Amino acid sequence: MLFRAAWTRQAAPLRRQAFAPFARRSVTTDAASSHAENIPQEDDKPFTVRLSDESFETYEIDPPPYTLEVTKKQLKQMYYDMVSTRRMEMAADRLYKEKKIRGFCHLSTGQEAVATGIEHAITRDDKIITAYRCHGFAYMRGATVRSIIGELLGRREGIAYGKGGSMHMFAPNFYGGNGIVGAQVPVGAGLAFAQQYNEEPTTSIVLYGDGASNQGQVFEAFNMAKLWNLPVLFGCESKFSTSFQDMAARDDGLTGLSF
């Protein structure tokens, strides 16, 4: 009936009507932008990218440099990694809705840049531990899309032989995938303590969500890391626009950076 009505309306005789002119619409955003000049033709030749002055929001700490050296090859690889992660998560979402993935399925759609950016800034010897939205990190740490999807489907070909599921994936120097809110933060502090004890020239990246930002064990891990000067970076993958200043204001000894 809808098609018939539309066809009838299109087939009606033309008549003069006072149509309002179409207004040109545009989309604006407050997101910080970057700027680059003198971009070379070669993919492996570095050039300078200037970040916006609004890229970082700090609390009791100096901001990082607003310029960085990068190549077109590196940027293409980052884009490829983010797109691959997004397509993998979209496939997992479809399989979950088809009830082929049983149990939990925590996707990181929209957070692909977090895992990609961190992996491209560290070395393979550094350690990463995160919460239960871990598919992207597992992929960036060396897991294949086949092994991740296989794990979600409970197959033996999965990265944890089908026994871990969505929240418990592991790869070299990647320690999960943890299902308890905030529980991975003190474990990450322990990883950093082991690195310090063994005199390893590496660091640990410990990630948690905004839902764990009020957990007592998280603040205890912060205190221990500071008292022992552990080689660790704590990162909050906030899914909201909560300012880090609001979170860090609870502890005068806490410093932080949001972007």
Side-chain angles (χ1 to χ4, degrees), residues 2-248:
L2 178 61
F3 174 79
R4 181 181 300 176
W7 182 85
T8 304
R9 183 173 54 186
Q10 292 178 359
L14 296 177
R15 59 182 180 271
R16 292 183 177 273
Q17 292 182 354
F19 290 101
F22 290 101
R24 184 181 298 274
R25 300 193 303 175
S26 61
V27 178
T28 59
T29 177
D30 293 332
S33 59
S34 58
H35 179 70
E37 295 181 352
N38 301 323
I39 302 177
Q41 295 294 331
E42 300 83 356
D43 284 352
D44 56 351
K45 187 174 181 179
F47 60 95
T48 303
V49 175
R50 169 72 184 181
L51 302 178
S52 170
D53 294 337
E54 301 177 355
S55 299
F56 307 105
E57 179 184 349
T58 62
Y59 180 81
E60 299 293 339
I61 193 174
D62 295 329
Y66 286 91
T67 59
L68 71 152
E69 295 288 330
V70 70
T71 64
K72 293 168 65 175
K73 182 178 180 180
Q74 291 174 325
L75 293 177
K76 290 178 181 179
Q77 184 62 48
M78 293 179 189
Y79 181 75
Y80 177 86
D81 293 336
M82 288 189 290
V83 172
S84 298
T85 304
R86 171 64 68 89
R87 293 175 67 93
M88 177 182 67
E89 295 290 67
M90 292 175 64
D93 178 66
R94 183 175 64 254
L95 291 171
Y96 182 78
K97 292 176 180 177
E98 294 174 355
K99 297 185 179 181
K100 295 180 180 179
I101 295 178
R102 299 291 183 172
F104 296 101
C105 185
H106 296 286
L107 304 177
S108 59
T109 304
Q111 297 176 271
E112 299 86 359
V114 179
T116 300
I118 289 176
E119 186 60 40
H120 282 270
I122 61 178
T123 68
R124 286 292 185 178
D125 294 328
D126 293 320
K127 304 180 187 303
I128 296 180
I129 187 170
T130 186
Y132 40 78
R133 301 185 188 275
C134 62
H135 306 164
F137 287 100
Y139 173 71
M140 293 304 302
R141 290 266 88 180
T144 63
V145 174
R146 181 185 179 90
S147 66
I148 294 174
I149 296 296
E151 185 63 33
L152 295 175
L153 294 173
R155 305 292 178 83
R156 181 173 177 81
E157 293 80 5
I159 193 173
Y161 301 101
K163 299 180 179 180
S166 173
M167 296 185 291
H168 304 99
M169 297 184 181
F170 306 91
N173 286 324
F174 176 61
Y175 295 83
N178 294 268
I180 305 301
V181 177
Q184 74 279 4
V185 179
V187 177
L191 294 174
F193 178 80
Q195 291 171 309
Q196 184 186 71
Y197 185 83
N198 294 324
E199 299 181 352
E200 300 176 8
T202 55
T203 188
S204 291
I205 312 297
V206 182
L207 301 165
Y208 59 96
D210 47 273
S213 61
N214 64 341
Q215 293 284 318
Q217 56 193 344
V218 173
F219 284 95
E220 289 295 333
F222 290 167
N223 293 332
M224 294 173 65
K226 177 59 180 177
L227 290 173
W228 296 342
N229 291 323
L230 301 181
V232 57
L233 294 174
F234 297 102
C236 178
E237 298 181 74
S238 178
K239 294 179 285 297
F240 299 96
S241 59
T242 302
S243 171
F244 188 87
Q245 293 184 1
D246 298 335
M247 300 168 58

